[in-house]
Amino acid sequence: MSRSAPPSTTAASAATAAPAAAPTAAELLDFVRRAAADAELIASLPLDPEGRTWVRLDGPGGSEAWLIGWPPGSGTGWHDHDESTGAFATAAGELTEHALAVRLPASGWTTLELAEGQDRVRRLGPGHGRSFGRHHVHEVLNTSETAHAVSVHAYYPPLPVLRRFSRSGAVLRLERVERPEDWQ
């Protein structure tokens, strides 16, 4: 992410009671959908034409949550969230998710050849979201040439690492591992 906005506590996140146990993927999805429907929260995000912007939110049950603004043509590149489960929902605009229908090994590899038929594409407009399990590999894009997109994301446990990949045809290559201190 290229730019940061000041931390925020929101009505959507403050109204969420922390469950006694770790939040499930369904609870994370419920949270991101409710937050994405909070017009006041969405309007509070400063948008930058040059790069993504974000504000950290209080997610349910100690999860890590973010409100993210996506300028036209921006994206994440291929990555996973290591041992974290997660969810995201689009609040404005449309996001496209390219994902792999395969679970990657947690460690011990740098290059994998993907079997045919592993690619999935989802387009998520306002109010639409999805949850995912551990080691879910995807890239998220705002393919619009003119409009910003805004989304809400939540992860549990809070992201310990993020693995970044490059992709050339059927070959997926681990490029680097990022830790939270790399994002500050």
Side-chain angles (χ1 to χ4, degrees), residues 65-172:
W66 298 93
L67 174 63
I68 300 175
W70 306 75
S74 63
T76 61
W78 286 96
H79 67 283
D80 78 357
H81 305 99
D82 194 51
E83 295 291 326
S84 298
T85 59
F88 70 98
T90 304
E94 181 180 87
L95 293 174
T96 299
E97 179 195 37
H98 294 218
L100 299 178
V102 62
R103 183 179 168 131
L104 300 179
S107 62
W109 68 278
T110 57
T111 303
L112 287 177
E113 186 161 346
L114 302 168
E116 195 169 315
Q118 299 298 317
D119 289 289
R120 302 291 183 264
V121 177
R122 290 177 185 87
R123 287 182 175 67
L124 301 158
H128 291 91
R130 72 173 316 279
S131 61
F132 51 85
R134 301 177 326 172
H135 303 289
H136 174 72
V137 177
H138 68 170
E139 68 174 348
V140 180
L141 309 162
N142 176 4
T143 59
S144 172
E145 294 180 14
T146 58
H148 264 80
V150 177
S151 58
V152 180
H153 302 247
Y155 311 99
Y156 190 86
L159 296 174
V161 300
L162 189 90
R163 296 187 300 179
R164 297 235 178 238
F165 307 99
S166 62
R167 179 149 183 214
S168 179
V171 176
L172 188 71

Side-chain angles (χ1 to χ4, degrees), residues 44-64:
S44 74
L45 180 67
L47 300 178
D48 183 331
E50 301 296 319
R52 288 190 295 159
T53 53
W54 61 91
V55 173
R56 184 152 186 175
L57 306 174
D58 295 325
S63 64
E64 179 175 343

